[in-house]
Amino acid sequence: MTPTVGILSMQRIMNYGSFLQAYALKKILESLGTNCYFIDIKPGRQLDGNKIDSPFSKEIKRVFRVGYNLVTNYRQTLLVNEFSKQLRSQFLNSYYEILDLNNHFEDQFDLVVIGSDEVFNCTQKASFGFSKQLFGQGLNAKSVISYAGSFGFTTIERIERFNLQNELSHCLNGFSDISVRDINSKEIIEAMTGKKPKIHLDPVLIYDFDREISGLNINLKDYIIIYTYINRITDSEEINAICSFAKKHNKKLISIFCAYTWCDQYVLPKTPFEVLLYFRNADYVVTDTFHGSIFSIITQRKFCVIMRDSNKKKLSWLLNVMGLESQLLNEKLQLEDIITLEPDYPFAQKVIEKERKRTEKYLKNYLQKT
């Protein structure tokens, strides 16, 4: 009998990385002979000081708060609205089958997999608040495991500040097994449970997207990808370093999803898979995001990573384990030295191949028990 698996992930979060990691995990599980369904997050309580109005208000408010360029803000708002429309009407309906457990699924899951992405980032501001469901509670399943989950910028200190230690410890001890994707998350699990979780790579690194991007085409060349979140690259030294390098090498600056006046063009890909095509055809990539780094790795681009306080815990581990810590930009003036390096992709590919086997073994172990 084919196992029925539920995936509790960040499939509705408004960025391409969240979509692709959820999609990749679904395809990996389906390749192991399962029927997979996505579960929508059941909201929990809002932690003191963390309440927000809606899933999209944070990004939209950020656009208008900056206010440094009225035209840019207007264009960015249009991009946000268009992406939101694509997410709801195209991406989710075309590639996911999403269930509301309270209304649409009464039968028991053989297995629920929580992950990947920042499913454990319980102290962030989110419309769903502190949802115990993301920590395995209220799920009608024979077994609950996580795969490559991350606490994001949540630390043990932040957990203590919000007084969540006892609740998290109780929830996490109910998992059949726990897999995370960075050292910070591993240390939190150990502190909360006394157990040593496994560490696995993000599904976007594990899954092969060749089939999804075959046949896609874009009419663009001689460009540098700028991949970030809205209004994250605002430092004048960072911008000047990027623009100077592009001018010196006669490359266009193409930003994905973000409307920056200092870029030559901004694009909103028609599908999440087209994002990977933009990366594959780029000469260079500048990013300050976790999945922007992963997109660069799987398309084997020359790239540099600007570290931020919000993602340094997960990004530093990723670059280190892939043997690509040399791509980290510590000084703005070093951008040309870093971005023109030849990344050690032969080593990185060996890591990916090894981790693909580990991922399959980990998931198969629990599917065989169903």
Side-chain angles (χ1 to χ4, degrees):
M1 185 174 178
T2 303
T4 301
V5 178
I7 302 174
L8 189 53
S9 189
M10 300 277 115
Q11 66 270 3
R12 290 193 186 273
I13 299 300
M14 200 167 59
N15 70 63
Y16 295 106
S18 293
F19 177 93
L20 288 172
Q21 64 79 25
Y23 175 87
L25 182 57
K26 179 176 186 286
K27 299 301 286 186
I28 292 167
L29 284 163
E30 287 177 342
S31 74
L32 299 176
T34 68
N35 292 324
C36 289
Y37 303 89
F38 281 96
I39 304 168
D40 264 339
I41 299 170
K42 182 178 180 179
R45 73 178 188 273
Q46 290 288 343
L47 301 178
D48 291 342
N50 267 9
K51 187 175 182 180
I52 65 173
D53 299 325
S54 73
F56 306 118
S57 63
K58 181 179 178 182
E59 294 297 338
I60 294 174
K61 285 179 179 178
R62 188 186 303 170
V63 170
F64 287 100
R65 187 168 61 243
V66 173
Y68 68 92
N69 186 298
L70 181 61
V71 175
T72 298
N73 288 340
Y74 174 71
R75 289 172 176 171
Q76 188 63 65
T77 303
L78 293 179
L79 285 179
V80 170
N81 291 339
E82 181 59 28
F83 185 91
S84 175
K85 187 194 306 180
Q86 285 183 353
L87 183 73
R88 293 193 305 270
S89 65
Q90 179 185 348
F91 302 162
L92 296 179
N93 293 338
S94 298
Y95 303 110
Y96 292 157
E97 187 164 359
I98 300 178
L99 301 176
D100 179 338
L101 287 189
N102 295 322
N103 299 318
H104 298 105
F105 205 88
E106 298 178 355
D107 296 334
Q108 187 180 52
F109 286 104
D110 294 302
L111 178 69
V112 166
V113 181
I114 299 176
S116 168
D117 219 328
E118 296 185 6
V119 287
F120 296 147
N121 194 358
C122 52
T123 66
Q124 69 175 324
K125 290 185 178 182
S127 60
F128 46 80
F130 172 47
S131 173
K132 289 188 181 181
Q133 186 193 45
L134 286 168
F135 292 90
Q137 299 296 291
L139 296 169
N140 186 17
K142 296 176 184 177
S143 299
V144 177
I145 65 173
S146 69
Y147 177 79
S150 175
F151 278 86
F153 60 75
T154 290
T155 60
I156 293 174
E157 291 73 24
R158 286 180 63 85
I159 289 170
E160 291 174 348
R161 188 188 314 166
F162 286 100
N163 196 28
L164 298 175
Q165 307 95 298
N166 291 337
E167 289 178 279
L168 288 181
S169 178
H170 173 76
C171 293
L172 291 167
N173 275 301
F175 279 68
S176 297
D177 211 337
I178 300 178
S179 157
V180 295
R181 71 179 189 191
D182 55 75
I183 294 297
N184 175 59
S185 300
K186 177 177 181 289
E187 291 174 348
I188 292 175
I189 297 296
E190 289 175 346
M192 295 295 107
T193 68
K195 302 174 183 176
K196 291 187 179 297
K198 299 172 177 66
I199 300 184
H200 291 104
L201 293 183
D202 185 281
V204 180
L205 280 165
I206 298 299
Y207 183 66
D208 186 344
F209 286 92
D210 282 351
R211 181 177 178 180
E212 281 76 6
I213 62 177
S214 64
L216 297 179
N217 292 291
I218 56 171
N219 186 25
L220 200 61
K221 62 180 181 178
D222 297 324
Y223 64 94
I224 301 169
I225 284 288
I226 306 299
Y227 193 84
T228 181
Y229 297 136
I230 298 171
N231 294 319
R232 277 262 286 258
I233 301 182
T234 57
D235 181 278
S236 59
E237 288 189 33
E238 290 179 357
I239 294 171
N240 288 338
I242 294 168
C243 292
S244 295
F245 176 79
K247 183 177 181 181
K248 178 180 177 180
H249 293 271
N250 196 28
K251 303 296 180 183
K252 296 185 290 289
L253 290 173
I254 307 297
S255 63
I256 294 179
F257 184 60
C258 295
Y260 288 121
T261 56
W262 47 271
C263 286
D264 298 290
Q265 184 180 342
Y266 57 88
V267 296
L268 193 67
K270 296 176 183 177
T271 73
F273 311 117
E274 198 174 77
V275 175
L276 300 178
L277 193 63
Y278 275 101
F279 270 77
R280 191 174 70 179
N281 289 359
D283 296 293
Y284 304 97
V285 176
V286 177
T287 186
D288 63 357
T289 76
F290 182 78
H291 279 110
S293 302
I294 288 179
F295 298 163
S296 302
I297 293 169
I298 63 177
T299 56
Q300 298 196 358
R301 296 300 87 197
K302 291 183 178 180
F303 73 108
C304 71
V305 180
I306 304 171
M307 194 77 81
R308 308 294 186 196
D309 288 340
S310 61
N311 61 20
K312 63 182 179 182
K313 292 184 179 296
K314 59 183 182 181
L315 254 178
S316 57
W317 180 85
L318 172 70
L319 295 174
N320 182 266
V321 77
M322 299 301 292
L324 298 171
E325 56 269 30
S326 59
Q327 308 310 127
L328 178 61
L329 181 64
N330 293 309
E331 298 291 338
K332 285 99 173 178
L333 297 178
Q334 294 178 341
L335 184 140
E336 179 157 6
D337 295 334
I338 300 299
I339 202 171
T340 54
L341 287 174
E342 288 287 349
D344 190 356
Y345 284 127
F347 176 84
Q349 191 58 40
K350 288 180 181 178
V351 172
I352 292 172
E353 290 170 2
K354 176 183 177 182
E355 291 302 315
R356 282 175 174 164
K357 294 177 182 178
R358 287 188 65 241
T359 291
E360 181 176 337
K361 181 179 180 181
Y362 173 72
L363 295 174
K364 269 187 174 180
N365 180 51
Y366 288 94
L367 292 173
Q368 289 170 354
K369 295 178 181 180
T370 59

